[in-house]
Amino acid sequence: MKIGITCYPTYGGSGAIATELGIELARRGHEIHFISYAQPFKLPHFMERVFFHEVEMSRYPLFEHNNYSLSLAAMMHEVTLSHGLDLLHVHYAIPHATSAWIAKEMLGSSHPLRIVTTLHGTDITLVGQERSFGEITRFSILRSDGITAVSDYLKRETVDAFAVPEERIEVVPNFVDPKLYDRGKLPCHKQSFLRDGEKMVVHVSNFRPVKRVRDVVKIFSRMAKEVPSRLVLIGDGPDRPEAADEAARQGVTGRVLFLGKQDSVAELLACADLLLLPSSSESFGLVALEAMASGVPVVASNAGGLPEVIEDGVTGFLAPIGAVEEMAEAGASILADGKRWRKMSAEARRCAVEQYGVDVIIPQYERYYERILGRGAAPAHAEPVAHAASA
Ligand code: GMT
C-alpha cells in the first residue's frame, strides 16, 4: 500500500506512535509518505520506502496567523496525486482530520483516497471539547473513512462526547518495539545518577498539568524515606517549575534530577527501577508501556486507559488520582522486595511483548487498512454528518 501519514512531528506520544508505525509499515514493504511541518523526531535520516514531505507555510504579510491546516491540505492533495497514495492516516484529530477531508474533497472522484483518523487522547478529552472546536472535531472525525482509538476508554469518551456511533470506532492499542526497549541489551547509566544501592525512580512526560508532577515528587519523597532512591525526571513543559518547587518543599531537591527532553528514553528506562505516572487523565500512557517493555513496574493513577495497560498488582500498581500515600506505599514495597520486583519486572516485559508488541499490533493496522480500502471484510465508509444536537 502507499500510505500518507500526518502527525505532530515534535515530542509526544501521538507523533512517536505515528512515526514508529510508518517505519514498521515500510519494513513490511509498504511505501510511506510522512506529511508534516517538520521531520518527525523519531524518523531516521534515510530509510527505504520512507519519504518526508515538508509542509511549506505561506508567508504573505496579510496572513498574520499562519494557515497551517490549509497548507497541510494542499500538501496532502499534492502528495496523493504525485505518489498515488491509497490512504492517508492522520494522527490526532485536530487539525489533521480536517485537512485530510479538504484534500479528499479537492481530489473528488478523480482519485479514490481513503482517510483513517487515529484519536490519541487530548484531541478528544481537551482540545476537541473546547467550545469553538467541538463541532469541527466531530465533523472531521465522522468524515473519516476509518476511525481508530488507542484504548477502549478513549472509544467510550468519543462516543459519549461526540456522539460518534460506536461501531465506527476500532480500538487499535498503542504498541512498542521490544527490541528497542530491552534492559538486557542496552547499556546501563545508573552509575551516572545513583550511589551504590540506590534505586532509580523515573517520570517521563511533557510536564503539563494533566501529568500532576507535584504528585510525582510527593510520592517520591515519601518513598525515599523508606528506600534509598533518586528521582530522574525526563521531558519538559510548563509545570517543570512546579516540580522543582515541590522538591524544595519536600526537602528532596538533592535527590531529584531534571534531564530535560531526550530523543530516546529507551536507555534511561533500561536502568530504571520504577516509573511514576499519577496523571489525572491518560488515554493510554505510552510511556507506561515503554517502561513495561523495559522491565520497569509502573505506579500510576487508575485514570482513563491506564488500567487497560497496567495490570494492578501484576505489572504495577494503580490507585485513585491524587492518592499519593497509597502510591508511595506501593512503590516503596515493590522496591524493597527484590523477589517481588523481579517477578513484576518479568510480567511487565511479558505483557508488553505479548499484548502490545509491534508484531501483534502492526498487522491489526494492516488488516484495518485493507477493510477501509474495501479489500477485506466490511468496508466502513464515511457517513453524512448530522448536527451533534440531533445525533
Ligand atoms: O497530552 C499528551 O500527553 C500528549 C498526547 C500526544 O498527542 O502525544 O498524548 C496522548 O497520546 C498518547 C499516544 O497515543 C497517549 O499515550 C497519551 O496517553 C495521550 N495523552 C493523554 O491522554 C493525556
Side-chain angles (χ1 to χ4, degrees):
M1 279 175 258
K2 291 188 178 188
I3 303 161
I5 293 183
T6 289
C7 61
Y8 284 104
T10 48
Y11 295 84
S14 59
I17 278 292
T19 312
E20 281 163 13
L21 173 63
I23 292 170
E24 286 299 326
L25 289 167
R27 282 200 185 117
R28 287 163 164 79
H30 302 285
E31 185 177 305
I32 303 301
H33 294 264
F34 285 99
I35 308 170
S36 191
Y37 61 83
Q39 170 144 331
F41 72 101
K42 290 232 169 182
L43 195 62
H45 285 295
F46 173 76
M47 211 187 142
E48 230 179 309
R49 293 182 291 279
V50 175
F51 303 87
F52 167 59
H53 307 270
E54 186 172 333
V55 177
E56 284 164 32
M57 246 92 75
S58 172
R59 302 274 172 223
Y60 191 59
L62 200 59
F63 300 154
E64 274 188 44
H65 304 283
N66 78 49
N67 287 312
Y68 179 62
S69 312
L70 292 184
S71 304
L72 176 62
M75 185 59 95
M76 285 168 160
H77 174 259
E78 188 186 316
V79 174
T80 303
L81 281 180
S82 53
H83 293 273
L85 299 188
D86 300 302
L87 191 132
L88 264 180
H89 186 174
V90 301
H91 293 257
Y92 209 91
I94 292 293
H96 303 149
T98 320
S99 302
W101 173 73
I102 296 172
K104 184 172 168 162
E105 285 292 297
M106 288 165 73
L107 290 160
S109 54
S110 66
H111 188 107
L113 178 72
R114 293 276 184 247
I115 298 167
V116 171
T117 296
T118 288
L119 309 171
H120 278 275
T122 44
D123 44 354
I124 294 303
T125 55
L126 282 177
V127 185
Q129 292 189 34
E130 277 176 26
R131 197 187 51 77
S132 59
F133 274 148
E135 275 300 316
I136 197 164
T137 303
R138 180 170 187 273
F139 172 87
S140 312
I141 292 171
L142 283 172
R143 284 297 167 109
S144 305
D145 298 289
I147 308 161
T148 78
V150 297
S151 61
D152 288 325
Y153 157 80
L154 189 60
K155 174 174 174 167
R156 285 195 305 275
E157 279 290 299
T158 311
V159 170
D160 293 347
F162 293 98
V164 174
E166 62 176 330
E167 62 279 9
R168 292 220 43 216
I169 307 175
E170 182 92 354
V171 174
V172 183
N174 285 332
F175 55 86
V176 69
D177 183 349
K179 289 198 283 301
L180 278 182
Y181 292 85
D182 186 346
R183 77 187 294 126
K185 299 235 167 63
L186 290 164
C188 181
H189 300 288
K190 232 175 183 168
Q191 69 285 0
S192 329
F193 311 119
L194 311 180
R195 300 221 179 96
D196 271 356
E198 287 179 341
K199 303 289 181 191
M200 180 169 156
V201 180
V202 294
H203 169 76
V204 188
S205 81
N206 53 17
F207 286 67
R208 299 207 170 263
V210 78
K211 304 295 174 183
R212 295 180 70 97
V213 291
R214 277 194 189 272
D215 281 7
V216 171
V217 178
K218 285 180 191 165
I219 297 163
F220 169 73
S221 78
R222 285 156 176 77
M223 281 173 52
K225 291 192 182 108
E226 310 292 323
V227 183
S229 47
R230 279 175 205 263
L231 175 63
V232 177
L233 295 165
I234 303 164
D236 208 345
D239 280 1
R240 180 174 167 157
E242 306 273 317
D245 177 64
E246 194 60 45
R249 280 171 186 247
Q250 301 289 333
V252 290
T253 302
R255 306 208 138 260
V256 178
L257 213 77
F258 288 86
L259 293 189
K261 286 179 181 170
Q262 301 282 325
D263 276 346
S264 163
V265 294
E267 286 194 13
L268 295 164
L269 287 174
C271 52
D273 297 297
L274 196 76
L275 177 88
L276 299 180
L277 195 62
S279 310
S280 60
S281 168
E282 205 71 68
S283 70
F284 184 93
L286 181 61
V287 72
L289 178 59
E290 292 170 343
M292 284 162 56
S294 311
V296 181
V298 182
V299 169
S301 64
N302 56 11
L306 287 172
E308 293 172 49
V309 183
I310 303 152
E311 196 179 340
D312 194 16
V314 179
T315 60
F317 178 82
L318 297 168
I321 299 162
V324 291
E325 302 289 347
E326 252 183 83
M327 292 189 212
E329 205 181 303
S333 75
I334 295 167
L335 289 181
D337 181 345
K339 198 170 157 211
R340 187 166 170 224
W341 182 88
R342 280 190 294 280
K343 191 157 185 277
M344 271 198 164
S345 166
E347 279 299 315
R349 168 85 182 165
R350 185 198 54 73
C351 169
V353 176
E354 288 179 8
Q355 290 186 37
Y356 301 103
V358 278
D359 293 336
V360 180
I361 305 297
I362 305 299
Q364 290 186 24
Y365 272 119
E366 287 178 297
R367 285 195 292 275
Y368 189 63
Y369 294 160
E370 295 285 356
R371 261 171 61 195
I372 294 304
L373 289 167
R375 298 176 188 164
H381 299 314
E383 288 164 11
V385 183
H387 190 272
S390 63

